[in-house]
């Protein structure tokens, strides 16, 4: 069983009414009541950040659906928080796929939604991202399904959303209170988005401190799954004509890779997947169909890995029961 040890650099933030941010030295989450999926192990799933590449979370969610499995705990950073919220709200992988096709299918569709969120020139924004800061809360509203819950308590599965507290330099973990504001803080890539004010603090993208939040999915779980959508350098080793945005996001990838390596040493996942994604630009959301199709071939391998871990857990549990 994975027990998340308290980490002093973690600051959980929970808001009830006008409650102020509480800073705790022990940053660990309180263990929830144990709930098994079909009398099987509790599965914790951490969904990482990676901008448009994060759409590849969806096939892995579909794979779990096809196995008849639901996670007991979901944690997410950046786009992992956005997709994780849909999953925690009861959406299936197929529904997440279809919704993504609907809201991201073409540049025209994206432009229409951004226009509603007061982004007048998507072409100019793509070329001059550092000069035009977006409102993350309006973007979240523009791309979430209609009727989506406004509070964590209305979700079907416990969800932990990771953002970065820009003022204290620590991670901020949300599991209660306003949901959309937490997601907005988690996706607020510095320079591209305005920081999100929350209880007298400013929040930016969770990937700055914790791009793959294994720590938040590990507490009181039996199988820990990490889906790392940050990509890898393999497809860029011989490239020299990098654009400004390529350099910016590439540097961020290097930073997130290092942070993830440290997180994995502290909270080793039972299953870790990292698809090759650098053929897709970080902002190329309109390539949603290509991005999702790119990892379809990995679904069966993922299911085999997960089935083996579940079989091993069940065998070990049966052995303990007989011994007792």
């Amino acid at each position: 069983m994975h027990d998340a040890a308290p980490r002093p650099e973690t600051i959980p933030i929970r808001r009830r009414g006008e409650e102020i941010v509480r800073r705790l030295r022990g940053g660990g989450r309180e263990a929830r009541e144990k709930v098994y999926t079909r009398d099987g192990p509790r599965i914790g799933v951490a969904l990482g950040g990676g901008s448009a590449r994060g759409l590849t979370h969806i096939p892995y969610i579909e794979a779990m659906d096809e196995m008849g499995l639901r996670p007991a705990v979901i944690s997410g950073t950046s786009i992992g928080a956005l997709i994780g919220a849909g999953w925690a709200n009861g959406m299936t992988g197929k529904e997440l796929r279809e919704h993504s096709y609907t809201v991201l299918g073409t540049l025209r569709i994206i432009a229409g939604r951004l226009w509603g969120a007061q982004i007048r020139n998507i072409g100019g924004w793509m070329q001059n991202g550092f000069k035009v800061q977006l409102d993350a809360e309006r973007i979240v509203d523009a791309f979430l399904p209609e009727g989506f819950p406004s509070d964590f308590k209305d979700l079907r599965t416990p969800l932990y959303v990771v953002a970065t507290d820009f003022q204290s330099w620590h991670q901020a973990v949300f599991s209660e209170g306003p949901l959309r504001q937490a997601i907005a803080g988690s996706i607020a890539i510095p320079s591209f988005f305005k920081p999100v004010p929350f209880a007298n603090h400013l929040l930016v993208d969770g990937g700055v401190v914790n791009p793959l939040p294994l720590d938040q999915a590990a507490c009181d779980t039996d199988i820990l799954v990490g889906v790392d959508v940050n990509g890898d350098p393999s497809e860029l080793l011989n490239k020299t004509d990098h654009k400004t945005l390529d350099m910016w996001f590439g540097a961020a990838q290097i930073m997130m890779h290092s942070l993830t390596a440290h997180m994995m040493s502290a909270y080793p996942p039972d299953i870790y997947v990292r698809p090759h994604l650098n053929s897709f630009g970080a902002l190329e959301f309109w390539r949603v169909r290509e991005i999702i199709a790119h990892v379809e071939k990995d679904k069966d391998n993922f299911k085999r890995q997960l089935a083996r871990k579940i079989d091993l857990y069940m065998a070990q549990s049966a052995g303990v029961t007989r011994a007792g």
Side-chain angles (χ1 to χ4, degrees):
M1 179 179 295
H2 294 271
D3 273 326
R7 296 179 65 77
E9 72 273 29
T10 299
I11 304 177
I13 295 179
R14 298 186 173 115
R15 185 178 184 183
R16 288 297 190 191
E18 298 298 320
E19 182 179 1
I20 304 298
V21 172
R22 292 175 294 147
R23 186 170 303 175
L24 304 179
R25 288 286 301 171
R29 301 188 283 101
E30 296 179 359
R32 293 176 178 265
E33 182 180 355
K34 202 165 184 108
V35 179
Y36 285 94
T37 303
R38 296 189 176 184
D39 298 321
R42 277 176 57 93
I43 301 173
V45 181
L47 304 178
S51 299
R53 303 177 184 114
L55 294 165
T56 53
H57 286 308
I58 293 173
Y60 298 107
I61 294 173
E62 290 177 330
M64 289 188 65
D65 290 342
E66 291 162 12
M67 297 175 73
L69 298 171
R70 293 282 299 181
V73 178
I74 301 167
S75 65
T77 292
S78 199
I79 191 169
L82 184 61
I83 291 176
W87 196 13
N89 193 43
M91 294 179 74
T92 65
K94 181 178 180 181
E95 289 169 339
L96 287 165
R97 179 192 290 251
E98 292 305 319
H99 178 70
S100 297
Y101 289 171
T102 299
V103 300
L104 299 171
T106 67
L107 264 174
R108 179 174 294 181
I109 292 172
I110 296 173
R113 288 184 175 266
L114 292 178
W115 183 276
Q118 305 303 307
I119 309 303
R120 299 303 185 196
N121 183 351
I122 187 173
W125 177 69
M126 291 295 181
Q127 294 297 321
N128 304 295
F130 292 94
K131 298 179 181 178
V132 181
Q133 286 193 308
L134 310 183
D135 185 318
E137 291 185 65
R138 297 182 111 175
I139 297 301
V140 168
D141 285 336
F143 289 97
L144 280 177
E146 291 185 12
F148 201 81
S150 60
D151 197 285
F152 278 89
K153 65 181 173 56
D154 297 318
L155 298 174
R156 299 184 186 181
T157 303
L159 173 69
Y160 294 84
V161 170
V162 175
T164 300
D165 184 331
F166 185 74
Q167 293 169 304
S168 71
W169 297 8
H170 291 83
Q171 75 172 356
V173 183
F174 298 85
S175 61
E176 300 176 1
L179 176 59
R180 293 167 188 254
Q181 196 171 11
I183 297 171
S186 187
I187 70 167
I189 300 172
S191 295
F192 284 88
F193 291 91
K194 300 173 185 176
V196 177
F198 184 88
N200 298 318
H201 286 248
L202 288 178
L203 302 177
V204 296
D205 193 330
V208 173
V209 290
N210 191 355
L212 184 62
L214 294 164
D215 54 337
Q216 299 304 312
C219 184
D220 195 25
T221 56
D222 305 301
I223 296 175
L224 179 60
V225 177
V227 185
D228 182 355
V229 296
N230 186 43
D232 59 67
S234 59
E235 297 176 33
L236 300 176
L237 293 177
N238 297 317
K239 184 176 179 179
T240 57
D241 58 336
H242 297 285
K243 298 178 181 178
T244 300
L245 287 182
D246 292 335
M247 295 296 295
W248 195 95
F249 278 107
Q253 279 183 282
I254 295 169
M255 175 195 72
M256 290 192 291
H257 174 72
S258 178
L259 289 170
T260 296
H262 286 289
M263 180 60 69
M264 289 178 64
S265 67
Y267 300 90
D270 297 289
I271 298 173
Y272 170 71
V273 293
R274 187 177 77 170
H276 301 289
L277 299 169
N278 280 332
S279 56
F280 300 103
L283 298 179
E284 293 179 339
F285 287 95
W286 62 89
R287 298 178 66 185
V288 53
R289 293 177 186 271
E290 294 176 69
I291 293 171
I292 291 176
H294 183 72
V295 296
E296 288 278 1
K297 60 183 179 297
D298 196 39
K299 282 174 63 175
D300 287 341
N301 181 51
F302 175 75
K303 287 193 281 188
R304 284 192 295 269
Q305 291 185 65
L306 185 52
R308 283 195 295 268
K309 291 295 182 181
I310 293 173
D311 288 345
L312 178 61
Y313 170 85
M314 298 299 284
Q316 291 174 338
S317 297
V320 170
T321 300
R322 285 194 297 271

